[in-house]
Amino acid sequence: METQISRLQLMYLMIWVILGTGIVLLPLAIAQFTIQDGWMVPLFFFGGTIVAAIVCVVFIRTFPNQSLANGLETAFGPWLGRLIGVWMIIFFFVFSAMLLRELTVFVEVTSLPKTPAYLISATILVPIAYGVFQGVEVVGRLAEFLTPVALMIGVILVVLSFQNADFSQIQPVLAHGWTPVLRASVLPATSFAFELIGVLQFVKSIKGGKTLGRDLLYVGASLTVFGVLVEMLIISVLGPSITYLSLPVAEVIRGIRIGEFIQRFDTIYVMGVIATMVLKISVFLYAMSSAMQDTFRLSTFRNVVWPNGIAIWTASILFFHNSPDLHEFMVYVTPAYFSFTLVLMPIFAVLTFRLKKVFGSQ
């Protein structure tokens, strides 16, 4: 019997799937194209969330009680379906390696600048692999524990940050037209929003999977409101200097002062980012192991969790040699890569299966 997680745990996991890296990467990526209009970009993220929810609903209705790898095999047959399943495994592998490298760079920049990257990533990966080995329920419970704590701390930090805000820096609105906003919206509306479709791989582990589409819309709406608020705060506090900062959110939090003795709240931000990125990597390491179980008919996903962890650790160093390579891959490659793998392939599987049923009945 599949170990199951609740709807609430799933929604928490999906929130951190987006925010785990989004709170670090998106403000910097948006600032490359637009500054004062950057607060509009999260609205386009919600459009991508709607697409992700539609894909998930259509897939679940076409392949009930089947994971993403199972549905691909059902649609394309045992040989071609497994071959496409291998493509999906490679996708989860590359994506997990990218996430691990991003977390390693973050820890290196903020805390351990003189520690070798391979030691940082190995230290991070051991608890991640152990948690995934215990099952998706453990990851869901960790998300259920962290979310209320993170929500409380996040609200406090946002409120305290308003003391340094100058909302005149948001104006004039659309001074350069819609083009910079649309260019800045490509990454959040595709790569980040489409990450939610990865939940199809462990849809059999979700209690009440029929409400998945609605749950994703709830998650998308909540993150959109949060994103607009955070972007407005970042722009109003930092202004044009966002372009030259590697961690804009940390700079906003670093400016908080209460009296003469309470300051440097950015330490809390660093700890929170590490915890949430660990959750995100855990989700996709589990998805990769689960896809291998379905594709290669393994008795349990636990047989491949540790080997997958070692492979991801190796790839994170070999594939992404430095921070500029990592940033270029995330900003310029992932939109097309994610759109093809997570949107077009499931939709093509649905169309293929339904056409086979139509022609088969005739």
Side-chain angles (χ1 to χ4, degrees):
M1 181 178 177
E2 290 278 346
T3 303
Q4 293 192 324
I5 59 176
S6 66
R7 287 180 59 192
L8 186 61
Q9 290 173 337
L10 174 72
M11 293 173 69
Y12 287 157
L13 281 176
M14 293 302 99
I15 287 174
W16 299 121
V17 160
I18 305 300
L19 284 185
T21 52
I23 198 68
V24 177
L25 175 63
L26 285 182
L28 177 62
I30 293 171
Q32 292 183 358
F33 302 99
T34 181
I35 297 178
Q36 68 264 27
D37 295 325
W39 61 272
M40 298 182 182
V41 172
L43 302 176
F44 292 89
F45 163 79
F46 186 66
T49 304
I50 294 175
V51 175
I54 292 173
V55 171
C56 290
V57 169
V58 171
F59 190 91
I60 290 174
R61 289 182 178 179
T62 306
F63 308 105
N65 299 318
Q66 294 190 45
S67 67
L68 182 58
N70 294 147
L72 293 173
E73 186 173 343
T74 302
F76 298 110
W79 292 104
L80 181 58
R82 288 190 186 183
L83 185 62
I84 298 176
V86 170
W87 173 277
M88 197 63 63
I89 292 170
I90 294 173
F91 167 79
F92 288 132
F93 168 67
V94 173
F95 185 40
S96 300
M98 183 194 77
L99 295 175
L100 180 60
R101 183 58 170 158
E102 185 178 359
L103 179 53
T104 303
V105 170
F106 180 81
V107 173
E108 189 177 13
V109 169
T110 57
S111 306
L112 303 171
K114 296 184 179 180
T115 305
Y118 64 88
L119 288 180
I120 297 175
S121 57
T123 305
I124 293 170
L125 190 62
V126 170
I128 291 175
Y130 178 77
V132 174
F133 183 82
Q134 298 302 314
V136 69
E137 186 180 15
V138 173
V139 181
R141 287 179 177 177
L142 179 59
E144 194 173 22
F145 168 75
L146 287 177
T147 302
V149 178
L151 179 62
M152 180 181 64
I153 295 175
V155 169
I156 294 174
L157 293 178
V158 167
V159 171
L160 293 176
S161 297
F162 276 107
Q163 62 183 314
N164 302 318
D166 177 14
F167 290 102
S168 64
Q169 300 196 79
I170 299 177
Q171 299 175 344
V173 177
L174 295 176
H176 303 286
W178 282 101
T179 301
V181 177
L182 294 176
R183 293 178 65 189
S185 302
V186 172
L187 182 65
T190 55
S191 299
F192 279 86
F194 295 162
E195 287 174 13
L196 298 172
I197 302 175
V199 73
L200 287 175
Q201 179 51 43
F202 50 96
V203 70
K204 292 187 292 185
S205 300
I206 304 170
K207 296 178 181 178
K210 294 181 180 180
T211 62
L212 179 59
R214 187 192 316 160
D215 295 341
L216 292 184
L217 290 179
Y218 290 154
V219 170
S222 303
L223 292 175
T224 298
V225 174
F226 178 78
V228 171
L229 178 62
V230 169
E231 274 296 320
M232 292 182 69
L233 188 60
I234 293 172
I235 297 166
S236 61
V237 172
L238 301 177
S241 63
I242 305 174
T243 309
Y244 310 103
L245 300 173
S246 58
L247 297 172
V249 178
E251 293 296 330
V252 171
I253 297 174
R254 188 176 290 126
I256 298 174
R257 298 286 189 275
I258 302 178
E260 298 180 0
F261 305 103
I262 303 178
Q263 52 185 300
R264 294 308 303 262
F265 286 93
D266 53 306
T267 305
I268 300 175
Y269 165 76
V270 171
M271 292 189 295
V273 168
I274 293 173
T276 55
M277 287 186 68
V278 164
L279 271 177
K280 181 167 184 173
I281 298 171
S282 301
V283 168
F284 287 99
L285 176 57
Y286 176 80
M288 176 184 173
S289 303
S290 174
M292 292 186 71
Q293 177 188 7
D294 294 336
T295 302
F296 300 116
R297 302 291 193 274
L298 303 179
S299 58
T300 175
F301 72 94
R302 291 184 173 88
N303 294 337
V304 292
V305 169
W306 287 102
N308 286 344
I310 295 173
I312 289 170
W313 170 69
T314 306
S316 68
I317 304 299
L318 294 179
F319 290 176
F320 310 101
H321 298 93
N322 49 49
S323 183
D325 287 348
L326 176 65
H327 183 77
E328 183 177 356
F329 181 83
M330 289 189 295
V331 175
Y332 299 107
V333 177
T334 58
Y337 189 26
F338 283 39
S339 298
F340 175 78
T341 304
L342 293 176
V343 177
L344 294 182
M345 289 181 64
I347 290 297
F348 188 55
V350 168
L351 293 176
T352 302
F353 181 75
R354 294 192 174 185
L355 287 175
K356 287 169 63 176
K357 289 184 65 175
V358 170
F359 289 112
S361 63
Q362 292 177 355

